[in-house]
Amino acid sequence: MKPTLLPAFLATLLLCTPAVGAGKIWISNVKLVSPEKLDRVETGAVLIEDGRIARVERGPSSPAPAGASVVDGKGYYLTPGLIDSHVHLHAVPGMSMEQGASGDSMAQAYFRQLPRSFLYYGFTTVIDLAVSDYGVIERLRKAPLHPDVFHCGEPLVLANGYPMSFYAPDKRFQSFGNYLFDPAMPSAVPEQFAPSAHTVAAGVARVAKAGGICVKTHFERGFGADRNLPVMSPAKFAEVRAATTQAGKVLVTHANSFEAQSFAVAGRADVLAHGMWHWGALNGRAGLPPEIKALLDKIVDQRTGYQPTMQVLYGLRAYVEPDYLNDPALRKVVPASLLAWFSTPQGQWFKPEVTEGEIDASVMQSMEGPLRRQRAVVAYLAGRDANFVFGSDTPSSPTYGNLPGLNGYREMRQLHAAGMSLAQIFKAATINNARTFKLDGELGSIEVGKAANLLLMKTSPLEDVSAYDSVLTVWVRGEQTAREALAADNT
């Protein structure tokens, strides 16, 4: 796109920016918004050198260092890049696993756009919690423009439990090579996949060898046609906790119910990778029951990382929202060919699994209960300043309702509506994520020595949640790109 086609202020900004990858960049005339100094949002300047933050000045700016290219921030807001700590990079929203991996031209176009879509909404770092194909990770890292990518390796999945249960018995053990066998929960295992080779120690070692920074587990009894699935015993989970600690990794547990989060908190999981929308026998109770409050107090006291992932339910609801596919925002993050396909009968294949034969209005109504419970939990944790860590679960299932980048922005809007303050959301997506996932030596704030992953925003994220849709410029490791150049409808 030619600069003359851009808004005037962006064109001006581009004219004074250095070429991508320049050695020294002096970003001046910006208001610094960094989570470790929220009481000091003030005019300043930042020097980037060789992809890292070399100097941070607050107050009147000094002259540009010798040899540095100058970026005039026009008085806008400079923040750290955002971190989404719950993504699934191998999945194409709206497609089955088989179609997404088939080499389909629409899937290929999606994967080319994928890294740019995260960057479009300011996510300069993503963490894949359950790697299915390491090739996807490597290809994304080799893309010309891409966020930093970290992962948890292959998840430690209990034999025949969730999510292995989605696959046919003769295929699930091939698809989940890091499964665990729990003698307390005996389950049939094919002869060629000997349980003796699938101990906790072996599973965590596989994650570490693959470069994982975290270990992913599940406590999920299932839903729909897959109910009463085997779950990990407390003793086995204790083994996982010990091995994860010894390996220096972060323990993440999929848990979206009162029972599951009680289990994970008792076992000292570091991160709960979902909100609590299932309360079991307490589902019908008005307000927040004392039993739920007691558990949430433990989550606060233990500083357990909490990912509400509210967009999981909204992602499913997209199939019964008549105007969803007409939203102009979708064109910014999804190639036109795939977006058009979503509206075809073939592209609607997942809707029957969402609706289960119910009319759209009934499906919308059925989701109000889980959403009410989820909002109540978020509001309570926000009131106690819990350790929220931002994760969007993109995509949460084969739905087209969880699109990269945009899904994170919508998650932020839902969190704010549920009761999280703007400061809490900002910290969750920056320093809280960095600290919880042990990346704070490198990411999460504007401090000397850290990677130059930065955003220039027109609006402060402490003033309005819409600020996350006002990004002008993105830096990843000091490499700079104008936001509009990242849009799917601009490629």
Side-chain angles (χ1 to χ4, degrees):
M1 176 178 283
K2 297 179 181 179
T4 53
L5 298 179
L6 295 171
F9 66 85
L10 185 55
T12 301
L13 186 64
L14 284 175
L15 290 174
C16 63
T17 55
V20 168
K24 284 186 181 182
I25 305 169
W26 180 246
I27 308 173
S28 64
N29 191 20
V30 289
K31 297 182 181 72
L32 301 175
V33 186
S34 192
E36 87 290 359
K37 291 183 181 292
L38 290 185
D39 59 333
R40 294 191 63 186
V41 177
E42 55 193 326
T43 299
V46 171
L47 176 65
I48 299 173
E49 190 167 357
D50 297 326
R52 309 194 79 80
I53 298 171
R55 189 195 309 175
V56 178
E57 289 192 1
R58 296 176 181 273
S61 180
S62 304
S69 300
V70 178
V71 173
D72 181 356
K74 308 292 184 184
Y76 293 135
Y77 297 87
L78 192 71
T79 78
L82 307 177
I83 303 170
D84 188 339
S85 61
H86 193 154
V87 304
H88 300 289
L89 299 172
H90 65 276
V92 180
M95 285 189 172
S96 67
M97 292 292 294
E98 293 77 14
Q99 186 176 4
S102 68
D104 180 283
S105 61
M106 290 184 296
Q108 291 179 359
Y110 169 80
F111 283 119
R112 287 193 295 272
Q113 175 60 32
L114 173 63
R116 305 167 74 92
S117 295
F118 280 117
L119 294 175
Y120 183 84
Y121 277 98
F123 294 101
T124 58
T125 301
V126 296
I127 303 176
D128 191 322
L129 292 192
V131 177
S132 175
D133 180 354
Y134 285 107
V136 172
I137 303 285
E138 292 309 310
R139 287 191 291 275
L140 192 146
R141 286 173 171 168
K142 292 177 181 177
L145 296 169
H146 63 86
D148 286 341
V149 181
F150 298 91
H151 62 81
C152 292
E154 295 179 84
L156 272 63
V157 178
L158 190 65
N160 294 304
Y162 177 90
M164 287 183 79
S165 56
F166 290 123
Y167 291 70
D170 61 337
K171 296 184 180 300
R172 62 182 56 161
F173 288 88
Q174 295 172 347
S175 300
F176 291 89
N178 213 17
Y179 83 84
L180 293 181
F181 185 76
D182 188 348
M185 299 288 177
S187 191
V189 176
E191 286 187 13
Q192 66 268 38
F193 299 100
S196 59
H198 291 270
T199 63
V200 168
V204 173
R206 290 186 190 101
V207 171
K209 184 177 180 180
I213 65 168
C214 40
V215 172
K216 174 75 177 294
T217 59
H218 305 80
F219 189 102
E220 175 65 75
R221 295 196 184 275
F223 44 85
D226 284 315
R227 297 181 183 273
N228 301 313
L229 299 174
V231 293
M232 206 175 294
S233 66
K236 183 59 64 174
F237 193 78
E239 283 186 55
V240 176
R241 172 70 277 177
T244 302
T245 300
Q246 185 174 13
K249 309 300 180 185
V250 177
L251 179 56
V252 181
T253 300
H254 164 106
N256 57 40
S257 69
F258 176 47
E259 178 194 20
Q261 294 196 3
S262 297
F263 175 89
V265 171
R268 292 281 179 163
D270 295 311
V271 176
L272 299 179
H274 284 302
M276 191 196 306
W277 50 81
H278 297 305
W279 293 358
L282 303 174
N283 272 351
R285 296 270 288 273
L288 200 61
E291 300 94 327
I292 303 289
K293 287 183 181 179
L295 174 60
L296 299 180
D297 288 340
K298 289 182 182 178
I299 290 170
V300 172
D301 293 341
Q302 292 180 191
R303 303 305 293 164
T304 307
Y306 203 86
Q307 295 179 340
T309 63
M310 299 188 72
Q311 275 296 116
V312 170
L313 297 176
Y314 286 100
L316 296 173
R317 208 169 77 163
Y319 284 89
V320 295
E321 292 180 355
D323 294 328
Y324 173 77
L325 291 175
N326 296 324
D327 187 337
L330 274 61
R331 298 197 295 269
K332 299 297 183 181
V333 296
V334 179
S337 59
L338 183 58
L339 184 57
W341 180 78
F342 289 157
S343 297
T344 67
Q346 295 82 4
Q348 292 283 313
W349 72 273
F350 189 60
K351 181 175 180 177
E353 299 200 26
V354 174
T355 59
E356 296 183 331
E358 297 290 330
I359 63 173
D360 290 2
S362 296
V363 176
M364 291 279 282
Q365 183 61 35
S366 70
M367 292 186 180
E368 284 307 309
L371 285 169
R372 174 188 63 82
R373 293 188 286 273
Q374 198 173 19
R375 293 184 194 112
V377 167
V378 169
Y380 185 83
L381 289 173
R384 291 217 52 202
D385 200 23
N387 180 30
F388 287 106
V389 290
F390 183 84
S392 66
D393 196 5
T394 299
S396 62
S397 66
T399 176
Y400 56 46
N402 300 137
L403 300 174
L406 177 61
N407 197 46
Y409 174 57
R410 290 182 168 171
E411 176 77 9
M412 290 174 168
R413 297 190 72 92
Q414 295 299 341
L415 294 175
H416 189 45
M420 281 181 66
S421 71
L422 294 173
Q424 286 174 324
I425 293 169
F426 181 60
K427 291 173 69 175
T430 54
I431 198 66
N432 288 6
N433 254 336
R435 287 172 177 165
T436 300
F437 283 90
K438 302 181 180 181
L439 299 172
D440 53 311
E442 185 78 359
L443 303 168
S445 59
I446 303 176
E447 296 183 82
V448 172
K450 293 193 176 185
N453 289 6
L454 301 166
L455 306 176
L456 188 65
M457 295 183 180
K458 192 174 183 181
T459 304
S460 169
L462 304 179
E463 294 175 2
D464 197 307
V465 72
S466 66
Y468 298 102
D469 196 21
S470 75
V471 174
L472 299 174
T473 310
V474 180
W475 285 267
V476 181
R477 304 276 165 173
E479 297 192 2
Q480 174 184 327
T481 308
R483 185 198 196 195
E484 285 305 313
L486 298 163
D489 59 4
N490 188 36
T491 57

